[in-house]
Amino acid sequence: MMRALVKHPDGPGLAMEDVPVPDPGPDEVLIRVHTTGICGTDLHIYEWDEWAQATVPAPMTVGHEFSGHIAGIGVNVGGFEVGELVSAEGHVVCGKCRNCLAGRRHLCKEPKGLGVNIPGAFADYVVVPKQNVWRHIDGLDPEIGALFDPFGNAVHTALAFPVLGEDVLITGAGPIGVMAAAVAAHSGARNVVVTDINEYRLALALRMGATRAVDPTKTDLKALQGELGMTEGFDVALEMSGAPAAMDDILANTIHGAKVALLGIPAEAYAIDWSRVIFNMLTIRGIYGREMYDTWYKMNVLIQSGVDISPVISHRFPAASYEDAFEAARSGEAAKVLIRWAD
Ligand code: NAD
Ligand code: ZN
């Protein structure tokens, strides 16, 4: 038996329960979970909001950000060894749709989410399909490995457009926004300006390498551009808050021909000033998940070439204190909250 954080359909909250250790099927890998991270998605599932009720087949074990060591290997699985430190790509693709068949798995028609649609990693053990297992580079800290899922969102978005020599605006200094700031700075952006309405997170953005981190309700972004010697606006914008006001800031502060990557998920549909998009000839690109496995490869390279994402870890809790972990994650004064399962 093992411990697992299970979502039940009867209301908010999660329950720590003893459940059987899952058996890996012929094409699956069993992983002893070391460290997990709490994502905004997990908070929605915990709260059991409308989206969660319509999406999660409760009762089910949740969680998708993790690292762990291989503990069992299905008979058809080659190339992995027991004891290796791994994480998993959380999107399990169908393998049959037009994009999957063409090798564009990140564009799968109906990916299933680990810990969202299928049993997840907030447990002592998790089983994942072999094609979703990512072996980490030698010596990687398991805590950094547990960040690879959201780090991948940051890398996928930050590298969606060339940033070398460019002025980059990042709206939203959550864990993903601040990691994107580190990646953009490392990748040669001239200025990386991060906006948020939370002071704790603005301070973190500066620690992660932002040139400036400001509250856009208090600092005029046009004036800030002047201070930084910019004249025509940001070349690249990364939307990482989901806030409609942030999209307005992007439209008002980007250069003609700017490239805009959207990762933040809005709570509901909202209107923008489309004439700005048209007259300024903006390119807008939606970003979902990570590219399999180009983004993962780049994460390795970024870490090996000196990007330090460890400051994004604000809290660590043992699995037994999961309620405290979720409370910390809900508070404004947190970035990435980790839950440790291994001894
Ligand atoms: P988060 O919720 O921790 O961070 C969002 C930040 O945006 C918060 O710090 C908040 O204070 C800030 N914010 C709110 N209003 C703002 C405004 N007007 N201007 C600037 N900032 C503002 O989220 P995260 O975990 O860092 O993820 C970032 C976003 O990406 C979220 O919207 C999340 O749902 C989304 N997401 C998307 C994908 C994907 O594949 N597309 C994957 C993971 C997360
Ligand atoms: Zn598919």
Side-chain angles (χ1 to χ4, degrees):
M1 299 293 278
M2 67 169 191
R3 299 170 298 172
L5 269 184
V6 179
K7 182 75 209 93
H8 285 280
D10 53 354
L14 293 169
M16 186 71 89
E17 294 179 359
D18 285 325
V19 303
V21 175
D23 246 343
D27 294 302
E28 291 177 334
V29 174
L30 177 71
I31 300 163
R32 169 74 177 105
V33 176
H34 186 287
T35 298
T36 56
I38 298 178
C39 164
T41 304
D42 302 318
L43 298 180
H44 287 285
I45 295 173
Y46 186 104
E47 299 303 336
W48 206 227
D49 63 13
E50 258 178 62
W51 168 83
Q53 291 184 36
T55 309
V56 180
M60 191 189 79
T61 302
V62 299
H64 58 276
E65 298 181 0
F66 79 99
S67 67
H69 297 92
I70 294 185
I73 295 173
V75 291
N76 295 340
V77 181
F80 290 108
E81 278 174 41
V82 169
E84 287 178 321
L85 179 70
V86 297
S87 286
E89 165 53 52
H91 289 178
V92 178
V93 301
C94 78
K96 292 178 267 190
C97 72
R98 176 179 176 187
N99 281 315
C100 277
L101 289 174
R104 298 182 291 260
R105 290 177 286 180
H106 61 291
L107 297 175
C108 174
K109 169 166 131 326
E110 42 190 0
K112 289 197 170 56
L114 187 73
V116 177
N117 311 108
I118 56 175
F122 288 166
D124 286 314
Y125 291 88
V126 62
V127 150
V128 297
K130 64 180 180 188
Q131 66 271 18
N132 282 65
V133 180
W134 178 258
R135 184 193 299 102
H136 285 300
I137 47 181
D138 285 347
L140 189 83
D141 181 340
E143 289 194 342
I144 300 296
L147 298 175
F148 262 48
D149 174 294
F151 184 37
N153 295 136
V155 170
H156 190 183
T157 315
L159 302 184
F161 300 110
V163 294
L164 177 63
E166 304 287 46
D167 293 321
V168 177
L169 174 63
I170 299 177
T171 53
I176 300 179
V178 298
M179 287 191 281
V183 172
H186 182 84
S187 304
R190 179 170 64 172
N191 292 301
V192 180
V193 172
V194 178
T195 65
D196 203 298
I197 50 177
N198 172 326
E199 292 297 333
Y200 173 94
R201 290 185 156 189
L202 289 172
L204 179 59
L206 287 177
R207 269 183 79 196
M208 296 286 286
T211 314
R212 301 290 285 273
V214 298
D215 180 338
T217 65
K218 296 179 186 154
T219 299
D220 179 57
L221 291 173
K222 279 265 161 39
L224 178 62
Q225 286 185 45
E227 276 175 44
L228 293 171
M230 294 170 52
T231 50
E232 295 178 41
F234 291 91
D235 306 291
V236 174
L238 314 178
E239 205 307 289
M240 303 196 140
S241 73
M247 193 61 192
D248 293 338
D249 288 337
I250 287 173
L251 294 177
N253 289 282
T254 40
I255 191 170
H256 288 200
K259 311 282 195 291
V260 182
L262 306 183
L263 180 92
I265 301 172
E268 55 198 348
Y270 68 92
I272 65 164
D273 184 354
W274 283 101
S275 63
R276 288 249 178 194
V277 177
I278 296 158
F279 291 126
N280 295 1
M281 291 177 284
L282 303 184
T283 299
I284 298 184
R285 179 162 155 199
I287 303 284
Y288 185 49
R290 299 143 297 274
E291 285 197 37
M292 293 159 231
Y293 279 87
D294 202 38
T295 304
W296 292 79
Y297 180 84
K298 286 175 178 156
M299 283 191 267
N300 279 357
V301 172
L302 286 162
I303 284 176
Q304 287 171 321
S305 61
V307 170
D308 179 13
I309 54 173
S310 64
V312 83
I313 302 169
S314 63
H315 296 75
R316 299 170 170 88
F317 293 93
S321 306
Y322 74 93
E323 290 286 13
D324 297 335
F326 273 81
E327 198 179 309
R330 269 191 303 266
S331 80
E333 306 238 315
K336 189 50 73 179
V337 176
L338 298 182
I339 298 178
R340 188 175 166 125
W341 296 81
D343 303 327

